[in-house]
Amino acid sequence: MAACNRAIVARMDSPVPLIPQLAAHLVAAGGKRLRPLLTLAAARLCGYAPEPGQAARHVGLAACVEFIHTATLLHDDVVDESALRRGLASANAVFGNKASVLVGDFLFARSFQLMTEDGSLEVMAILSRAAATIAEGEVLQMATQNDLSTSMEKYLEVIHGKTAALFAAACRVGGVVAGRPAAETDALDAYGTNLGMAFQLVDDALDYAADQRTLGKTVGDDFREGKITLPVLAAFHAGTDEDRVFWRRVIEQSEQTEADLDHALALIDRTGAIRTTIEHATAYADRACAALGIFPESEVRRLLNEVASYTVSRGR
């Protein structure tokens, strides 16, 4: 991870001063670095070790994964008009929307440079496909916004695209650089997919259940933006006719007062919507751990199981 962080800092450098300044605002703010961790751990789980004198491919690809993720964060905060990210003022709040979009583009370009430097067409296919899927997921989320008729299946399709696809790619490339057979890279893909689904479900729960200082972003953002997430769907379908009138007004018609968020939180609490969401997340985390059963017991496998447990524990 230390080597990956050095690579991230080195590759976000540019002779255009605003680029490293803005990128550093987000990258240096920390975050979990979960996606690059998955690439490094998956490669180690598969026994990857670079030959003496050779570049550590998994380090460069872990940095690539983080750049893809960071670029999407910059763009997402502009789309969502977010004021906070990782507990600090978002980049768009500090530097403006135009700069955030353009530096996001720069980081996407950097990620593709790292892919080409790796030299594997298979790796490039995996990561470029993930980048396209993320964009599709974000557009699909925009299309379902303010629509309470959105099905559970469509919601899961959204979170697979916007989050789980990159988790899956981050894990799969770790197995690819180690030269492992398809059964193992498929297992890593399944682990990453299910972990990503659990992660986003918990994130969606935290938007209605977390302390703002813990969450690192403004609580209730999803509510104010009319995003369709499982806590809202669960509360809407489990509520009374009067509850559904409320949800249609605040979500579908975007007519909200200052008191509406507190009322929404009360309805979500009364209907057990957070518990429902965490139960779904737990099921995905369990499937993630089960996917690793193809690998022998090891410290790294235990670490990856702990990552799945930690992901769900954030929402408890």
Side-chain angles (χ1 to χ4, degrees), residues 2 19 22 30 35 45-46 55 74 117 129 132 143 153 158 160 191 212 232 248 253 255 268:
I19 291 175
L22 190 151
R35 293 154 188 81
L45 181 68
C46 292
L74 287 170
E117 288 172 15
R129 184 168 58 247
E153 291 71 24
V158 168
H160 175 270
Y191 169 83
Q212 186 165 304
V232 169
R248 289 192 178 98
Q253 299 166 25
E255 295 178 3
I268 283 172

Side-chain angles (χ1 to χ4, degrees), residues 226-291:
K227 287 184 179 177
I228 303 301
T229 61
L230 185 52
V232 169
L233 288 177
F236 176 76
H237 290 292
T240 65
D241 287 344
E242 183 181 350
D243 295 342
R244 283 188 278 277
V245 169
F246 166 80
W247 286 115
R248 289 192 178 98
R249 173 174 65 79
V250 297
I251 298 296
E252 292 193 334
Q253 299 166 25
S254 298
E255 295 178 3
Q256 298 182 5
T257 68
E258 289 186 7
D260 283 338
L261 176 58
D262 285 340
H263 187 57
L265 294 175
L267 294 183
I268 283 172
D269 181 61
R270 193 188 78 208
T271 56
I274 297 300
R275 183 178 64 252
T276 298
T277 304
I278 298 303
E279 285 172 355
H280 278 80
T282 301
Y284 277 110
D286 290 344
R287 286 197 282 273
C289 294

Side-chain angles (χ1 to χ4, degrees), residues 125-188:
I126 293 166
L127 292 174
S128 61
R129 184 168 58 247
T133 302
I134 293 168
E136 290 172 341
E138 294 290 352
V139 173
L140 184 58
Q141 178 172 259
M142 185 174 64
T144 62
Q145 197 159 316
N146 307 108
D147 184 2
L148 286 166
S149 70
T150 300
S151 66
M152 180 69 168
E153 291 71 24
K154 185 64 69 175
Y155 164 71
L156 294 176
E157 185 182 347
V158 168
I159 66 174
H160 175 270
K162 64 178 282 190
T163 301
L166 187 57
F167 275 71
C171 293
R172 181 179 281 274
V173 296
V176 169
V177 298
R180 303 308 300 165
E184 293 186 14
T185 56
D186 287 347
L188 289 169

